[in-house]
Amino acid sequence: QVQLVESGGGSVQAGGSLTLSCKASIRIDTDELYHMSWFRQGVGKDRELVAGILKSGYTEYDYSVKGRFTISKDNDKRTLSLQMKNLRPEDSAIYTCAASPWGSGGGLDWRRYHYWGQGTQVTIVS
């Protein structure tokens, strides 16, 4: 069973920065973790895709974070990261990393993801 463990959440002022990390129990440059993404869910909101990265390194972002957030992965450290800059109060949410194998689809639909971290709270104070 693949395990994903996040770290790096916290509370910062608007305009500040945070970096989230997600360490996997297996190598992440495999087809088992072909799709790796960060989702978030704010209070009273639906879960939404923030950013995703494929095994190839191809990335995609929600329009609301494009230019402010950067998703990356370090295969040797088995770690997925999300650098967040110029944070806004509306970025406050529980952020969770997720992964799914080749052939599962991945993308926007959180139901296609097989593996999930425990979530980490990000709070932006105005």
Side-chain angles (χ1 to χ4, degrees):
Q1 180 72 7
V2 176
Q3 292 184 326
L4 303 174
V5 180
E6 296 125 345
S7 60
S11 179
V12 296
Q13 288 194 322
S17 301
L18 276 175
T19 297
L20 306 181
S21 297
C22 172
K23 186 153 188 175
S25 59
I26 66 171
R27 288 191 65 86
I28 63 174
D29 54 344
T30 67
D31 284 349
E32 189 64 18
L33 301 182
Y34 188 84
H35 304 265
M36 298 195 77
S37 298
W38 287 96
F39 286 83
R40 68 184 179 188
Q41 187 166 19
V43 175
K45 298 181 181 179
D46 293 332
R47 183 179 294 171
E48 62 178 0
L49 177 73
V50 177
I53 187 167
L54 300 182
K55 177 184 172 184
S56 64
Y58 175 81
T59 60
E60 60 180 350
Y61 297 90
D62 182 76
Y63 75 94
S64 67
V65 306
K66 206 165 189 179
R68 300 188 297 124
F69 291 13
T70 302
I71 189 170
S72 63
K73 57 190 180 107
D74 186 323
N75 294 331
D76 290 336
K77 295 182 179 178
R78 307 196 314 268
T79 299
L80 175 74
S81 297
L82 184 69
Q83 287 184 299
M84 305 184 292
K85 299 180 180 179
N86 192 19
L87 285 159
R88 305 166 180 168
E90 55 264 36
D91 294 319
S92 297
I94 295 174
Y95 285 69
T96 310
C97 64
S100 65
W102 162 260
S104 66
L108 297 174
D109 190 349
W110 61 268
R111 291 165 292 187
R112 293 178 176 174
Y113 287 79
H114 293 202
Y115 309 113
W116 291 86
Q118 79 281 8
T120 185
Q121 178 70 48
V122 171
T123 302
I124 312 304
V125 181
S126 59

